[in-house]
Amino acid sequence: MKIIKCLSVFAICLGFFNLNAQDETEVTDEVQPGSGVQTLQSYSKFDFIPGAKVIFYDDFAETAVGDFPPAWNTNASGEVVTTNLYPGNWFKMNGSGCILIDEGIKLPENFTVEYDVIPFPEEEGNTSFEFGFYMYSAEDPKNMDEGGAVPGLKGGIKMSFGYRSTYSAYNEEGYTISGDKESPAMEAGKKYRLSFWVQKTRLRVYLDQVKVFDLPKVFKPGFQINMMRFELWESGNPMVTNFRIAAGLPDTRNKLLTEGKLVTYGIYFDVNKDVVKPESYGTLKDIAAVLNEVPDVKVRIVGHTDADGDDAKNMDLSKRRAASVKAELAKHFGVNADRLETDGLGETKPVAPNDTPVNKALNRRVEFVKL
């Protein structure tokens, strides 16, 4: 098994692999991608809103450290690790080749993809490292070699991230459009959030709070993606976690005002934490806009957890998370706090069995109930 080299120029690597430590990163006021734990307000131009329903999720929590995660396949290599800088399990990808969702996944016209990533160069001193992330349509999702260097036989898009960001889209006839940006760039050992928003023919790509690409006609009408994969070269190896695919567009106004209940999966927290993560900004802004349209409506914000851990602690955590959501809506979005009640139900009201990463992700939610 290949062991990653800690680079002298990257002090962040020192002590990186510690199987138990989960220290917090230092809070910073900088707004650059990857610049530590950012505030909610630093995402004020972030318009990304996750899909309404989670259809695939993997935080690798159920994979033993040192093992390859069962929901994925590869012709390269990889293993699950933990770090002393960032909490949770991380899927560390090694070698040269591809790592992809096993057997593919059939997706609708509208969906979102998100994941946290820590990039590393393969060799010490290489500042031109990058990794690929591809979305495409395959005739046989089990065939990793279909299409060769242009994966799939029905079209798709190849993207790379690292010292630059690039894209190359293609269809059955060949390449259609391509482009690249030198900024924002990734630095080795820092944590980033990549977000992808597909709406029929349109694709938007975000690196942390920065919109990197906005391609309005990148896919043909009716094009269906069924494969996602990481492409590994000898220049760079990423570590990823919290890989989430969600379908559909949130119908915030109708759900909240007409049906009286909005269930959202777009408000994020770290494991066992109650601080709203900054990538929740787009979702909170969308909800606040509806609430501010109808200033007489009152709502109850209810937190829910999965069944992992202690029942009483989950109950307390869900209540604290609901209170944090209320505070952010009042502080950053101008919603009158007197209109917002909060509660938490812990793990007592699951909407799915707590038996898989996807079902657990469905149970971790925030609900807004019209009073």
Side-chain angles (χ1 to χ4, degrees):
M1 189 172 296
K2 196 167 186 178
I3 301 174
I4 193 167
K5 298 178 180 178
C6 287
L7 311 181
S8 59
V9 294
F10 302 129
I12 196 168
C13 293
L14 297 177
F16 198 80
F17 296 106
N18 181 326
L19 298 186
N20 296 309
Q22 295 186 351
D23 298 336
E24 293 289 322
T25 53
E26 182 182 358
V27 177
T28 175
D29 291 330
E30 295 181 13
V31 191
Q32 296 302 312
S35 56
V37 178
Q38 301 178 357
T39 65
L40 189 74
Q41 194 59 34
S42 70
Y43 273 59
S44 60
K45 295 182 180 180
F46 187 62
D47 60 355
F48 176 84
I49 301 175
K53 183 178 181 180
V54 179
I55 57 177
F56 181 89
Y57 181 79
D58 206 342
D59 59 0
F60 311 104
E62 298 187 357
T63 303
V65 171
D67 286 350
F68 190 92
W72 300 76
N73 195 8
T74 188
N75 58 13
S77 65
E79 62 178 323
V80 170
V81 301
T82 59
T83 85
N84 68 338
L85 294 179
Y86 304 107
N89 282 9
W90 291 79
F91 182 18
K92 175 176 164 290
M93 302 178 183
N94 296 324
S96 180
C98 66
I99 293 179
L100 67 167
I101 298 175
D102 193 27
E103 298 187 0
I105 183 169
K106 186 177 289 186
L107 294 167
E109 289 184 325
N110 299 310
F111 67 90
T112 58
V113 185
E114 309 162 77
Y115 55 87
D116 297 323
V117 59
I118 305 171
F120 280 101
E122 174 74 11
E123 297 182 358
E124 183 174 355
N126 180 12
T127 59
S128 298
F129 64 89
E130 58 185 337
F131 65 91
F133 183 66
Y134 299 174
M135 298 190 293
Y136 58 95
S137 180
E139 290 187 356
D140 180 7
K142 295 183 179 181
N143 182 3
M144 285 185 280
D145 296 323
E146 182 181 296
V150 187
L153 298 178
K154 299 180 180 180
I157 186 167
K158 304 193 301 183
M159 295 169 282
S160 69
F161 304 96
Y163 78 100
R164 59 175 182 172
S165 298
T166 74
Y167 69 89
S168 296
Y170 54 94
N171 57 29
E172 303 94 328
E173 300 175 356
Y175 286 105
T176 54
I177 58 173
S178 63
D180 65 85
K181 283 189 176 180
E182 299 297 322
S183 179
M186 291 182 171
E187 297 181 32
K190 290 189 175 182
K191 181 170 73 75
Y192 299 86
R193 179 82 165 183
L194 277 169
S195 307
F196 307 82
W197 190 353
V198 175
Q199 289 178 286
K200 297 184 178 180
T201 66
R202 184 180 184 184
L203 171 65
R204 283 172 278 186
V205 180
Y206 305 78
L207 177 57
D208 282 353
Q209 78 282 359
V210 178
K211 186 185 294 182
V212 183
F213 301 124
D214 190 347
L215 311 173
K217 302 290 183 181
V218 69
F219 302 121
K220 288 183 177 180
F223 180 75
Q224 185 178 60
I225 293 170
N226 64 3
M227 285 298 297
M228 293 184 191
R229 79 194 228 182
F230 291 90
E231 198 73 12
L232 309 178
W233 305 291
E234 294 183 355
S235 62
N237 294 324
M239 296 167 54
V240 303
T241 196
N242 296 323
F243 191 100
R244 175 194 299 258
I245 304 174
L249 296 173
D251 187 9
T252 304
R253 197 178 199 284
N254 180 63
K255 291 291 184 182
L256 186 55
L257 300 183
T258 303
E259 298 182 18
K261 182 179 179 180
L262 170 68
V263 180
T264 178
Y265 296 98
I267 300 176
Y268 300 131
F269 306 86
D270 279 326
V271 176
N272 296 327
K273 303 292 185 181
D274 62 8
V275 178
V276 178
K277 297 180 74 172
E279 53 261 36
S280 309
Y281 191 94
T283 298
L284 291 174
K285 182 179 179 181
D286 185 46
I287 293 170
V290 174
L291 291 174
N292 288 330
E293 285 179 12
V294 283
D296 295 331
V297 170
K298 295 184 177 182
V299 298
R300 179 181 294 117
I301 305 169
V302 185
H304 296 266
T305 70
D306 61 30
D308 289 350
D310 180 78
D311 295 5
K313 289 182 178 179
N314 283 339
M315 182 67 72
D316 176 66
L317 179 64
S318 66
K319 292 179 182 295
R320 288 188 284 114
R321 285 179 170 178
S324 292
V325 172
K326 172 183 175 178
E328 296 295 355
L329 286 171
K331 178 180 179 181
H332 292 296
F333 301 96
V335 179
N336 186 342
D338 294 338
R339 302 168 53 196
L340 307 175
E341 297 181 5
T342 66
D343 196 7
L345 297 177
E347 61 189 71
T348 63
K349 298 292 182 181
V351 294
N354 284 281
D355 56 355
T356 66
V358 173
N359 283 339
K360 290 180 181 180
L362 290 172
N363 288 329
R364 295 190 298 268
R365 65 199 191 275
V366 178
E367 297 182 348
F368 293 76
V369 182
K370 182 180 176 182
L371 300 177

